[in-house]
Amino acid sequence: MATLLHIDSSVFPTEASASRAVAEAFRTHWQEQHPDGTVVYRDLAAQPAPHITAAAHTAGFADPTSHTPEQAAAFAERVRLIEELEQADAVLIGAPMYNYSIPSTLKAWLDNVILFGRTAGETPSAKGTPVTVVASRGGAYGPGTPREGYEYVQNYLSVILADTLGLDLDFIVPELTMAPQNPAMAELIPLYEASRDRALEEAAAKAKQIAERLAA
């Protein structure tokens, strides 16, 4: 049966996190389509992937038989994360915008799974795997908005997930998530609510679409 790799990176619990809430909706609909399937879940806020070290980095370019004990231990952790990605039939990533970019915990996970000659390069080992990213943000950063040039989440993840890892990438973007908490954004609450509802609908539709694609 199909395996979903689900990664959350928000520091907030589901009731206070748009990325977690929408990702949870996706996962729920996914499991309805795959009741006998497997979900591999990583909460990077609760259990962060190790930030890349010199030993982990150099081990990726060296013959495993030549690894030092430090390199071997660091590389084993990278391989564990890489194999989760390679064995997944679909990937779901919660990627809230923090200070215009992704959480450092998600960057650490990416640094571990990007391995040239395996997951990256001419023939990426997970190429074609569908990946859905819930890219939530407190404001609005789409084309034509005043802060369009501050958008470093979708731009960065497109380069990494699609161009580098070869994954089949799609975004769900809940916006204006700070409107209910910020009095200065009160007039934007209806737009936030519309964005939230649209994101939840997209999550359900995307989960079903990928399930049908894998079953074909």
Side-chain angles (χ1 to χ4, degrees):
M1 296 297 294
T3 296
L4 174 69
L5 174 60
H6 176 188
I7 297 170
D8 272 327
S9 61
S10 172
V11 298
F12 299 104
T14 301
E15 60 270 18
S17 168
S19 67
R20 285 182 184 270
V22 175
E24 184 177 83
F26 180 106
R27 175 173 169 171
T28 297
H29 287 282
W30 168 273
Q31 290 177 307
E32 288 175 355
Q33 300 294 321
H34 297 284
D36 298 322
T38 299
V39 175
V40 176
Y41 181 58
R42 281 198 169 272
D43 186 340
L44 297 178
Q47 293 182 309
H51 283 280
I52 205 77
T53 62
H57 178 75
T58 56
F61 296 94
D63 185 333
T65 61
S66 70
H67 285 175
T68 66
E70 184 182 12
Q71 285 179 315
F75 193 63
E77 178 62 19
R78 291 189 70 184
V79 169
R80 185 162 67 94
L81 297 174
I82 286 170
E83 288 179 344
E84 286 181 351
L85 174 63
E86 292 174 334
Q87 293 167 9
D89 296 293
V91 181
L92 170 65
I93 300 175
M97 178 185 283
Y98 291 164
N99 298 318
Y100 309 113
S101 187
I102 62 174
S104 65
T105 51
L106 181 54
K107 177 64 163 59
W109 180 82
L110 290 168
D111 286 341
N112 277 281
V113 301
I114 297 169
L115 182 60
F116 283 88
R118 184 166 176 173
T119 59
E122 293 185 4
T123 55
S125 55
K127 183 177 181 179
T129 302
V131 55
T132 304
V133 175
V134 181
S136 61
R137 60 278 314 274
Y141 299 83
T145 61
R147 293 197 170 188
E148 177 182 356
Y150 288 52
E151 208 296 312
Y152 299 106
V153 173
Q154 288 178 265
N155 290 340
Y156 172 71
L157 291 178
S158 292
V159 171
I160 295 298
L161 297 174
D163 299 346
T164 303
L165 296 178
L167 306 180
D168 184 4
L169 173 63
D170 198 10
F171 287 102
I172 298 174
V173 186
E175 293 190 312
L176 302 169
T177 62
M178 287 299 296
Q181 287 77 42
N182 186 349
M185 298 175 66
E187 65 180 17
L188 299 176
I189 289 177
L191 292 177
Y192 150 72
E193 292 174 340
S195 178
R196 177 200 59 198
D197 294 346
R198 183 167 58 251
L200 292 170
E201 291 173 1
E202 289 178 3
K206 180 58 62 175
K208 182 178 179 179
Q209 176 186 348
I210 295 176
E212 291 174 347
R213 167 181 163 181
L214 294 175

